[in-house]
Amino acid sequence: MAIQTDVLVVGGGATGAGVARDLALRGVDVTLVERDGLTSGTSGRSHGLLHSGARYAEADRVGAEECIAENRILKEIAGACIRDTGGLFVQLSDDDPDYFEAKRAACEEVGIPVETLDAEEARERVPDLAAETERAFEVPDAVIYPSRLVAANAADARDHGAAIHPHAPVEDVLVNDGEVTGVQVGGAVDDTIAADYVVNATGAWAGEFAAMAGLDVEMRPTRGVMVSVEYDALGPVLNRCRDPDDGDIVVPHEREAVLGTTSVPVRDPDEYETEQWEIDRSIEECAAMLPPVADAPEVRTWWGVRPLYAPDEDERGGRGISRGFFLLDHADDGVDNVASIVGGKLTTYRQMAEATADLVCDGLGVDADCRTADRRLPSVDDPAQLDSLVAEFDGQGPTDEDVVGAE
């Protein structure tokens, strides 16, 4: 006999765990499967920035509005999953002052709080800022510890009846008469799961899962490197105030600073080359803002793969414009009970989950509102308990491994 559930969520990153939590809070019977530990994909291999929206303000007002709204929500509900550091956008002497003015004005129009600092005031906030600093403006950026965030979402889903299965890879998808009738899952489940609705929340791997169901979701993933160095003197997140490029973000942890990142297309999100030049360039460019990181000891380096949706990338025509999310209802493609959620940012995972849960509930005839924006995540006032949840779900990613479980 197959395992029966209302909704099967495939993918145990932030979006998948967020979907499971949202649906479980609406009273839907949910099962989540992830091929490895939770957070083992893109979510746990990011630079861990909670965007204020300022990075996108002049290029995509809607995307910036989404970010500042979710930024405020997560600061209320996520507790020790978030480190509220603030952020600076730094203009160096070689940077275009008109870009600074345009971004600052766009932030104000969107409603992102901005405080402009001259060079001296900026160095009062960050004493090691480069001598070439002309000015900066402060925004409410922050840091996300994704391993904790995903574990807290999964725990809340489980507390409300969801089944959460790490180390349960999908092996096949059975389709009959225009709907998925079963999903064969190996590993810890080793059974077929029959669901009324299936959510593909596999991120950069969305195309591979969709193909099992005879569907086409064209992804165009890119890799990016993060380099963590020993440096404990940084307060706010640093963003280079120029068109987005390699090595323009520095994210503070307690005893380290994470430098990033690059953007290089990859064919396969599991098998891709990594290049020394990416590390060197990220360090060099970040050191232009914060010179001490050039010589700081490297602690660890990791790459992540962005879950970019190819049609959006074709339309954007390059790096620098906000990457929104896309909810694909595959009833339009001849399979009635499957949806894929792709693209987006870690900052907007909850909003992505809400949109997905709304679609699923419409399909199932469930009349229940989203509760995730107002309900505090469990255990977020107790970092040790959060870290126990991370261990239970085998959810440790490299982004925050210096913080999660640290003594």
Side-chain angles (χ1 to χ4, degrees):
M1 293 290 291
I3 297 170
Q4 301 289 326
T5 188
D6 292 340
V7 179
L8 174 64
V9 178
V10 182
T15 304
V19 171
R21 176 192 185 222
D22 193 321
L23 288 170
L25 287 171
R26 301 192 203 203
V28 177
D29 181 38
V30 184
T31 299
L32 179 147
V33 296
E34 161 59 45
R35 67 176 186 174
D36 296 311
L38 300 192
T39 329
S40 57
T42 299
S43 295
R45 306 187 68 82
S46 67
H47 48 44
L49 175 59
L50 178 64
H51 286 283
S52 63
R55 187 169 176 85
Y56 310 109
E58 79 286 356
D60 179 0
R61 177 169 182 149
V62 172
E65 290 172 342
E66 291 173 350
C67 281
I68 188 60
E70 293 303 307
N71 176 296
R72 289 168 173 152
I73 289 170
L74 289 180
K75 286 176 180 177
E76 289 295 323
I77 71 168
C81 303
I82 304 293
R83 185 177 179 214
D84 193 359
T85 60
L88 295 182
F89 275 77
V90 179
Q91 178 193 332
L92 302 182
S93 55
D94 290 340
D95 298 333
D96 181 1
D98 292 339
Y99 184 86
F100 183 99
E101 296 291 347
K103 183 175 285 290
R104 180 176 61 184
C107 287
E108 292 172 344
E109 290 174 6
V110 168
I112 301 167
V114 175
E115 180 183 354
T116 304
L117 310 173
D118 63 26
E120 182 178 351
E121 292 169 326
R123 274 191 284 271
E124 287 177 0
R125 303 285 178 91
V126 183
D128 286 337
L129 268 182
E132 292 78 13
T133 299
E134 296 283 337
R135 54 182 173 170
F137 63 82
E138 189 169 22
V139 295
D141 285 343
V143 180
I144 302 176
Y145 299 138
S147 300
R148 288 177 174 173
L149 184 68
V150 173
N153 274 269
D156 206 23
R158 186 178 61 185
D159 290 347
H160 290 83
I164 308 296
H165 297 292
H167 300 289
V170 170
E171 297 176 341
D172 198 9
V173 179
L174 310 176
V175 180
N176 289 295
D177 295 327
E179 66 177 29
V180 171
T181 57
V183 177
Q184 295 178 352
V185 180
V189 171
D190 194 24
D191 205 343
T192 298
I193 299 176
D196 296 326
Y197 209 103
V198 178
V199 174
N200 175 9
T202 57
W205 295 264
E208 283 86 339
F209 176 81
M212 292 184 184
L215 297 165
D216 183 18
V217 175
E218 187 179 357
M219 303 299 291
R220 190 165 298 160
T222 65
R223 73 178 190 249
V225 72
M226 272 61 66
V227 184
S228 197
V229 300
E230 290 182 10
Y231 185 77
D232 62 3
L234 179 59
V237 174
L238 299 182
N239 304 266
R240 182 83 174 266
C241 197
R242 64 181 185 189
D243 281 325
D245 204 343
D246 295 341
D248 59 3
I249 297 176
V250 184
V251 179
H253 287 193
E254 279 88 343
R255 295 178 297 278
E256 299 178 13
V258 178
L259 319 178
T261 180
T262 49
S263 183
V264 181
V266 300
R267 292 180 179 272
D268 184 336
D270 285 315
E271 299 290 338
Y272 53 88
E273 295 181 349
T274 58
E275 300 283 352
Q276 182 64 38
W277 71 261
E278 296 177 75
I279 298 172
D280 297 340
R281 180 166 173 79
S282 290
I283 294 173
E284 178 184 3
E285 291 295 323
C286 289
M289 284 192 293
L290 192 67
V293 303
D295 300 316
E298 293 180 32
V299 181
R300 54 207 169 87
T301 299
W302 69 94
W303 274 260
V305 179
R306 301 175 184 88
L308 306 183
Y309 183 47
D312 181 45
E313 291 300 291
D314 291 339
E315 183 176 337
R316 292 186 330 107
R319 183 173 181 169
I321 300 172
S322 177
R323 295 181 169 116
F325 68 86
F326 298 86
L327 179 56
L328 311 177
D329 183 351
H330 293 300
D332 299 332
D333 306 316
V335 182
D336 289 337
N337 62 337
V338 181
S340 295
I341 179 73
V342 297
K345 296 173 282 291
L346 181 58
T347 298
T348 57
Y349 88 92
R350 192 211 61 83
Q351 184 187 53
M352 295 166 68
E354 179 178 350
T356 306
D358 285 346
L359 176 66
V360 172
C361 286
D362 284 345
L364 296 177
V366 173
D367 183 13
D369 294 330
C370 176
R371 298 166 56 197
T372 60
D374 302 317
R375 180 184 176 88
R376 196 165 171 84
L377 285 160
S379 302
V380 294
D381 297 321
D382 185 346
Q385 179 60 34
L386 276 177
D387 294 351
S388 293
L389 291 171
V390 171
E392 180 182 352
F393 292 122
D394 191 21
Q396 180 64 70
T399 298
D400 51 19
E401 70 179 33
D402 62 313
V403 175
V404 175
E407 296 182 358

